[in-house]
Amino acid sequence: MKKLSFVCTTYGRFTCVERIVAQYHAQTYSNKELIIFNTDEEHPYSLGFEDDSIIIVNNGIDYQTKNPYENRGQICRDAVTHATGDYFMLADDDDIYLPWHMQQAVDGIEANGKDAWKPEKSFFATQTKLEMCMNTLEASVIVKMERIREIGFRVDITGYEGLSWYTRLRDEQHLDEHNKYYLPSYCFNWSDPHEVAGHKQSGSIGSPNNFENHKEASKDYAKRPLEKLLIEKIRETYKPYYQYIRQHEADFPGDLLTKYFSIQEYQVEN
């Protein structure tokens, strides 16, 4: 079984990162690691429990330039140096990852014989709606780690960092943007209240102040070690997504519903 590295870069989003840890533990794929790369050194992260598969790095200085980070591409590049997996998946700190997210991605990339795998659509959530959408949505993609290290991340502007590897793999026909054989497992999440989410970098792409605005607005600082969330809490997080899948079962492959959804332990009742 190949190892998957789940890479989370963050600044001032403690509640979100604690939820990422819970979602990481909820994953049914067993050979995995979580890299938490926190650039807010004034409020360092730590674990309040033992888990050797979670690696925390508190660092605000670019490994190459020796200066403070200027964009997220530089951060992603440095975060990946701590990964030891065969596969890379991005853990955007504020997004939602259902328990079969990793397993389905590994199954997909190993079945297609390519360097990446992606579902055509993923969830998009706001405070008033939950729907399926098409986009690049880099956090829905699994990529061979060797290709991530080869291609790297854009380091010129925050918001475009993942398009380097995404565009190249797509153009090489190693990434199928129209793959319809999947069960939704990832949500591009805009449903959190402002005090949790802070600033949305993806909502300000192209702004020259995007990176600094994110640091200024994201003030949910780490004041204690990360702890494990109660299972009831993560069930509540997942509940609307499970309900959506039940209500739209006809839209998804029946064998994947059986394989990933109906048997997984975190399923909740309507």
Side-chain angles (χ1 to χ4, degrees), residues 221-234:
Y221 301 130
K223 299 181 179 68
R224 59 171 174 81
L226 293 161
E227 298 291 349
K228 293 183 178 180
L229 296 181
L230 295 175
I231 190 61
E232 290 77 15
K233 181 72 172 179
I234 198 64

Side-chain angles (χ1 to χ4, degrees), residues 9-236:
T9 66
T10 190
Y11 184 103
R13 277 179 169 172
F14 183 85
T15 301
C16 293
V17 173
E18 201 161 58
R19 185 174 62 197
I20 282 289
V21 171
Q23 294 182 91
Y24 169 74
H25 284 146
Q27 294 300 308
T28 59
Y29 192 74
S30 60
N31 193 14
K32 59 186 184 289
E33 66 180 4
L34 172 62
I35 313 296
I36 299 174
F37 198 92
N38 169 42
T39 53
D40 181 12
E41 293 182 291
E42 292 185 12
H43 303 92
Y45 279 86
S46 62
L47 278 186
F49 55 90
E50 293 292 328
D51 189 336
D52 293 339
S53 74
I54 299 179
I55 300 165
I56 295 180
V57 181
N58 296 295
N59 174 70
I61 301 299
D62 187 306
Y63 290 172
Q64 293 188 8
T65 68
K66 311 303 181 185
N67 294 316
Y69 288 113
E70 297 179 351
N71 58 67
R72 191 172 178 231
Q74 296 170 336
I75 297 168
C76 290
R77 178 202 64 214
D78 287 354
V80 166
T81 66
H82 297 273
T84 64
D86 303 288
Y87 297 127
F88 165 88
M89 292 195 84
L90 183 65
D92 274 347
D93 58 7
D94 58 341
D95 288 341
I96 304 300
Y97 303 85
L98 299 179
W100 58 90
H101 180 67
M102 292 182 181
Q103 183 65 63
Q104 176 174 238
V106 172
D107 290 346
I109 195 172
E110 292 185 349
N112 71 13
K114 298 182 181 296
D115 293 340
W117 177 91
K118 176 188 183 297
E120 182 180 58
K121 295 182 180 181
S122 293
F123 287 118
F124 174 61
T126 68
Q127 293 185 5
T128 60
K129 65 181 179 181
L130 177 64
E131 60 186 0
M132 297 284 292
C133 71
M134 293 178 63
N135 202 306
T136 54
L137 298 177
E138 295 98 314
S140 70
V141 186
I142 185 172
V143 187
K144 290 181 178 179
M145 186 66 75
E146 62 195 48
R147 295 309 309 275
I148 289 293
R149 297 194 192 282
E150 171 199 347
I151 302 169
F153 299 86
R154 281 186 62 173
V155 296
D156 56 337
I157 184 170
T158 289
Y160 291 98
E161 55 275 352
L163 293 185
S164 51
W165 54 262
Y166 185 100
T167 303
R168 180 164 166 183
L169 290 168
R170 181 199 63 197
D171 293 348
E172 292 175 351
Q173 298 185 349
H174 273 283
L175 192 157
D176 179 8
E177 294 182 298
H178 303 291
N179 166 37
K180 293 178 171 57
Y181 185 66
Y182 66 93
L183 185 65
S185 67
Y186 164 70
C187 177
F188 187 57
N189 177 37
W190 283 28
S191 68
D192 290 325
H194 179 75
E195 61 269 20
V196 171
H199 171 266
K200 290 288 187 183
Q201 295 180 81
S202 55
S204 302
I205 289 179
S207 168
N209 299 318
N210 194 359
F211 184 66
E212 291 302 321
N213 288 344
H214 176 75
K215 292 197 295 182
E216 176 62 27
S218 299
K219 295 183 177 180
D220 184 15
Y221 301 130
K223 299 181 179 68
R224 59 171 174 81
L226 293 161
E227 298 291 349
K228 293 183 178 180
L229 296 181
L230 295 175
I231 190 61
E232 290 77 15
K233 181 72 172 179
I234 198 64
R235 281 176 176 158
E236 193 63 26

